[in-house]
Amino acid sequence: MPDFDVLKTAMKAGKVADVRKLVEAALAEGVVAQDILNKGLLEAMGEVGQRFKKNEVFVPEVLVAARAMKAGTELLKPHLIKAGVQAVATAVMGTVKGDLHDIGKNLVIMMLEGAGFAVVDAGVDVSPDRFVALAKEHNAKIVGLSALLTTTMPSMKGAVEAIRAAGLSSKVIIGGAPVTQAYCDAIGADGYSADAASAAELATRLIA
Ligand code: B1M
């Protein structure tokens, strides 16, 4: 039985080399890749997300933990594919048209991945049509829109309308510093969250 606490501690501290070594050792011991993912990496990311929400850790700590998680999941990926392990769902995530801010979007992606989603990163300056095309192509259950400028928020409305007009069943979630629940209600999006960890919880609730 591997010590998942040691792996979780290394991941939360962002120790990439240690995470790689521990994941490799667990695989060599015959531990199932999904257990390493669920009981080690995803649990650790969940704890980081909760602490981030409570302002106990900040963006740099989340970024280093996410980098360590990525190092671990890269080693697990071939084993998970072989075992036929599926992501909980696919999410398309991007920053809306005219907006180049991507730090918050990237944090949301990390938290979604930490919650078991396969995430298609649409990047920044993403038009409503592009969101529709990606959501269709990847059969996305969630489309996440981020905006940091009051001037780009209207593009969220455009994206929601385009997704509805295309007849897609994807749930649209929105966030970013100027975005509010009232704005979410006004444009008919499916959910708003104020931070990255809550965005992952919201997405999980919406696909349940
Ligand atoms: Co810009 N910028 N910026 N900027 N920038 C702001 C946003 C601003 C508030 C600064 C200010 O004036 N005080 C202001 C916006 C004013 C407004 O509209 N109300 C502003 C401006 C005006 C501009 C330019 C127009 C400046 C200019 O050129 N005159 C220009 C616009 C460029 C463009 O986008 N077209 C611009 C450019 C830039 C840089 C390129 C220099 C750089 C971006 C670098 C990058 O992202 N790669 C930048 C930065 C860094 C900022 C500040 C300083 C920091 C933003 C950030 O990354 N925060 C910002 C001022 C500030 O906030 N102090 C500012 C950290 C990040 C983790 O937070 O993105 O809010 P945030 O994400 C949070 C939540 O909002 C939430 O989760 C995250 C964490 O938990 N969240 C979601 C985000 N997306 C979500 C989606 C969800 C759910 C939650 O569901 C899908």
Side-chain angles (χ1 to χ4, degrees), residues 92-99 122-137 140 143-147 151-168 170 172 174 183 187:
V92 168
M93 176 73 209
T95 304
V96 298
K97 184 87 195 143
D99 202 321
V124 296
D125 191 19
V126 184
S127 69
D129 288 350
R130 179 84 183 129
F131 277 115
V132 169
L134 286 173
K136 260 190 200 158
E137 183 186 342
V143 177
L145 314 175
S146 180
T151 50
T152 58
M153 281 170 62
S155 185
M156 290 184 148
K157 183 168 187 279
V160 171
E161 285 168 358
I163 287 163
R164 306 292 188 234
L168 300 178
S170 319
V172 185
I174 65 171
Y183 185 68
I187 66 170

Side-chain angles (χ1 to χ4, degrees), residues 28-44:
E29 259 181 58
V31 183
V32 177
Q34 194 167 7
D35 280 349
I36 303 173
L37 181 69
N38 291 340
K39 297 178 189 167
L41 304 180
L42 294 186
E43 261 191 33

Side-chain angles (χ1 to χ4, degrees), residues 52 98 100-104 146 148-150 173-177 193-196:
F52 180 60
L100 303 176
H101 296 85
D102 68 356
I103 300 169
S146 180
L148 263 285
L149 299 171
T150 44
I173 63 170
I174 65 171
S193 58
D195 61 74

Side-chain angles (χ1 to χ4, degrees), residues 36 52 64 70 117 147 175 181:
I36 303 173
F52 180 60
V64 293
K70 200 167 175 203
F117 283 83
Q181 182 63 52

